[in-house]
Amino acid sequence: MNLLLLSNSSSDAGYLVHALPAIRELIAALPPGAPAVFVPFAGVTRNWDDYTALVVSALADTGLDIQGLHRAEDPVAALEGAAVIIVGGGNTFNLLGQLRRQGLLGVVARRVRQGAAYLGWSAGSNLSCPTICTTNDMPITDPQGFDALGLLPFQINPHYTNAHPPGHRGETRAQRLAEFCTLNPAMPVLGLPEGSGLRVSGGEMTLIGPHEAPLFLGQQEPRVFRPGPVEVQA
């Protein structure tokens, strides 16, 4: 498969600017004007037309011909014809619920396994996992099940940080992930810090960006990956 899974989309440099080199590498084999579909369903307070326009503008220099999936007369046909499937961030529960209710979740998974490139960030990265159970999002809607695309054999936690502000009495992110790993001891979870991403090309995985990423598994101490090749085994 050909995947680029980002922790975040925005940065001080601008929207998706920090990820443009990796995005260009993802689509390097495609011809100019290759058809792409953007899935805006993670947007809740963000209008889907506005969200699509933002992504089209940010990726204008890539040469992709991007269509918002919500505007497609035949969403299944749009996905079938897409060389790139782009899934934006926002609320993971709404994203999964919309895809499931429209009967599109399996179509996306099949197209990516058939060779369509997949670009996701935040909720879009969560969606690539076996489930969405390591999202940071509030469950604002019932997605009728947590099972997701299952493109990876492990979970991702985007926007990973273990910061603990003074006076804050809630759990840290590491503590929350320890809860998940206690009840799901055979399922690894990779924490992706801001500015980081996971590049999957064929059978190889690479951690990109400037930061290290912890891998949580059961009761073990987290294993820390430096940027470069990544091998995740349960």
Side-chain angles (χ1 to χ4, degrees), residues 7-8 157-162 177 189-198 206-216 222-230:
S7 177
N8 57 296
N157 178 245
H159 307 289
Y160 177 80
T161 175
N162 205 35
L177 293 179
V189 184
L190 182 68
L192 278 182
E194 301 292 66
S196 298
L198 187 67
T206 305
L207 177 66
I208 61 174
H211 304 296
E212 297 179 338
L215 181 75
F216 298 83
R223 177 183 177 187
V224 177
F225 289 107
R226 294 188 175 96
V230 171

Side-chain angles (χ1 to χ4, degrees), residues 21-130:
I23 294 171
R24 291 193 179 98
E25 191 273 331
L26 176 77
I27 63 173
L30 298 178
V37 168
F38 174 61
V39 182
F41 299 154
V44 177
T45 56
R46 173 177 274 165
N47 176 279
W48 291 349
D49 285 336
D50 294 342
Y51 198 177
T52 302
L54 175 64
V55 172
V56 168
S57 176
L59 299 181
D61 289 345
T62 65
L64 293 174
D65 181 11
I66 302 173
Q67 174 188 20
L69 186 60
H70 66 298
R71 289 295 183 184
E73 292 185 9
D74 185 338
V76 173
L79 290 168
E80 294 285 4
V84 186
I85 298 174
I86 306 169
V87 185
N91 188 276
T92 313
F93 292 91
N94 198 57
L95 169 63
L96 178 59
Q98 288 284 346
L99 287 169
R100 180 166 281 129
R101 285 189 289 272
Q102 296 185 40
L104 301 175
L105 188 66
V107 180
V108 173
R110 175 172 54 78
R111 286 294 299 122
V112 176
R113 290 191 173 95
Q114 289 174 341
Y118 183 95
L119 168 61
W121 54 88
S122 192
S125 293
N126 280 134
L127 190 72
S128 70
C129 299

Side-chain angles (χ1 to χ4, degrees), residues 100-178:
R100 180 166 281 129
R101 285 189 289 272
Q102 296 185 40
L104 301 175
L105 188 66
V107 180
V108 173
R110 175 172 54 78
R111 286 294 299 122
V112 176
R113 290 191 173 95
Q114 289 174 341
Y118 183 95
L119 168 61
W121 54 88
S122 192
S125 293
N126 280 134
L127 190 72
S128 70
C129 299
T131 75
I132 64 164
C133 290
T134 51
T135 178
N136 305 307
D137 303 333
M138 183 180 292
I140 60 169
T141 187
D142 181 1
Q144 300 174 5
F146 298 141
D147 290 350
L149 295 175
L151 303 176
L152 299 176
F154 56 91
Q155 295 289 129
I156 285 175
N157 178 245
H159 307 289
Y160 177 80
T161 175
N162 205 35
H164 200 191
H168 179 66
R169 303 305 176 191
E171 288 81 359
T172 64
R173 188 74 60 81
Q175 288 171 322
R176 287 300 192 199
L177 293 179

